[in-house]
Amino acid sequence: PACAAVDEEEESHAGTVIRFVNAVAAEVEKEFPEAVIETLAYVYSRKPPKKTRVRHNVMPCLCTVECDFLRPFGESRWKSNVVFEDDIRRWSGQTDRLYLWNYCVNFRHYLHAFPNVQAMARNYRFFRDSKVRYFFEQGHEQGLHAEFGELKAWLSAKLMWNPDQPVAPLLRRFFSGYYGPAAKDVERYFSSLYAHANEGNAVAGIYNAPDRVYPDSFLDEADRIWDAAERATVSADPGAWTNVVNTRLTTDYTRLHRGYGSEAQLAAASRRLEAALATGKIRL
């Protein structure tokens, strides 16, 4: 009852959290004046308290878990994004130690397309302008080598250094270095994927099923592109061929998950996915 009364007064569950963490931080400071106490502003505790302010040695960590990552903050009208924008502004108004935990992965379907690349730079600029000084991007540790995991890790690092730089040259550099002779094919797949994703009211959430981003027909287009990419690399650049086959797993996984395609298409997708699973580096 006492905690409920605090949360009612503060109009947020962060009321009890921050009051408690502030008390801990005050005691810690007596012996360790340089220490900073981090606490999550996560889901039920993300809305900042109405009255209590974080101590100077407390670091709130906001998480974007409910948000849409297809369109950037400031542009997306997805309700969770609008609410998050308000929350981050209110937290940034009371601390210079704002920490952000962000996502670029679908936790329910690691291999499913998660089209957030076009929003990354603008989101990073939004976070910076919102006084975020500490940043963590959670990516594809469980789905290594698929769904552009390496691209997103590399691009995230580049944009953390400088979120104002143009993204297109970075993408071209990565595609050329990682896919070699198949760079143009992969760029074509990438562009088509994002064109389909931006149609309609698709949402890229971290728990979405693989049926909300693009239509079945895109899988056939994607397979034709991947076939060309494999032909371009299989003899000329075996390393790039491996990267092509791994990135193709997103198309294979979605085809199998939907059960879409001919018997031959489904069998080929199954063989590629089983071979990848056998390496131990891919999880469903």
Side-chain angles (χ1 to χ4, degrees):
C3 291
V6 170
D7 287 350
E8 182 176 2
E9 180 184 358
E10 297 281 9
E11 298 180 6
S12 169
H13 291 295
T16 45
V17 173
I18 296 303
R19 289 190 190 187
F20 171 74
V21 175
N22 277 351
V24 172
E27 291 300 310
V28 170
E29 187 179 26
K30 295 175 184 178
E31 187 172 354
F32 304 101
E34 302 302 318
V36 176
I37 309 302
E38 183 257 323
T39 186
L40 289 172
Y42 181 68
V43 188
Y44 81 99
S45 65
R46 199 187 69 199
K47 180 182 179 182
K50 182 178 180 179
K51 297 180 178 180
T52 302
R53 296 293 179 264
V54 295
R55 294 187 90 251
H56 66 91
N57 62 335
V58 170
M59 176 190 291
C61 176
L62 277 72
C63 304
T64 55
V65 63
E66 308 99 331
C67 295
D68 167 34
F69 297 89
L70 177 58
R71 296 174 182 86
F73 292 105
E75 295 182 21
S76 173
R77 292 300 90 197
W78 183 249
K79 181 179 178 180
S80 295
N81 288 43
V82 174
V83 173
F84 178 86
E85 291 169 24
D86 182 61
D87 288 346
I88 195 172
R89 291 189 183 103
R90 291 175 61 191
W91 281 109
S92 68
Q94 60 169 289
T95 180
D96 291 324
R97 298 188 185 277
L98 195 58
Y99 176 19
L100 189 84
W101 188 309
N102 197 49
Y103 305 89
C104 60
V105 61
N106 186 324
F107 289 106
R108 191 164 288 160
H109 301 276
Y110 292 117
L111 303 186
H112 178 45
F114 190 77
N116 68 313
V117 169
Q118 292 181 334
M120 286 174 67
R122 283 173 287 179
N123 279 345
Y124 287 17
R125 291 194 291 270
F126 172 79
F127 298 148
R128 177 200 61 195
D129 296 343
S130 300
K131 296 175 61 176
V132 169
R133 294 295 176 266
Y134 308 89
F135 186 71
F136 176 72
E137 183 80 87
Q138 184 168 1
H140 290 68
E141 187 274 329
Q142 295 94 337
L144 294 175
H145 310 311
E147 212 294 287
F148 289 115
E150 286 82 0
L151 166 63
K152 292 179 181 182
W154 185 83
L155 187 61
S156 180
K158 293 294 184 183
L159 292 174
M160 285 187 199
W161 281 110
N162 178 13
D164 293 314
Q165 62 185 308
V167 174
L170 294 173
L171 292 176
R172 286 194 297 270
R173 180 181 171 191
F174 182 88
F175 289 143
S176 176
Y178 196 68
Y179 297 106
K184 293 298 183 183
D185 295 310
V186 180
E187 285 185 49
R188 187 155 55 96
Y189 165 82
F190 181 87
S191 297
S192 183
L193 168 66
Y194 278 80
H196 282 288
N198 285 314
E199 293 176 352
N201 298 312
V203 172
I206 64 174
Y207 296 109
N208 279 9
D211 58 358
R212 300 188 61 186
V213 177
Y214 49 76
D216 288 343
S217 58
F218 172 69
L219 297 175
D220 295 331
E221 176 189 353
D223 269 342
R224 289 191 292 270
I225 296 173
W226 289 124
D227 285 344
E230 287 197 46
R231 288 194 298 269
T233 54
V234 64
S235 299
D237 190 335
W241 175 81
T242 297
N243 295 338
V244 165
V245 171
N246 285 334
T247 310
R248 183 177 189 165
L249 293 174
T250 293
T251 302
D252 293 333
Y253 174 77
T254 305
R255 181 181 290 283
L256 291 168
H257 189 272
R258 296 183 183 181
Y260 169 77
S262 68
E263 185 176 339
Q265 287 174 315
L266 292 167
S270 181
R271 286 194 298 271
R272 286 189 292 266
L273 195 57
E274 287 174 358
L277 287 168
T279 69
K281 295 180 179 180
I282 296 291
R283 288 174 55 189
L284 297 184

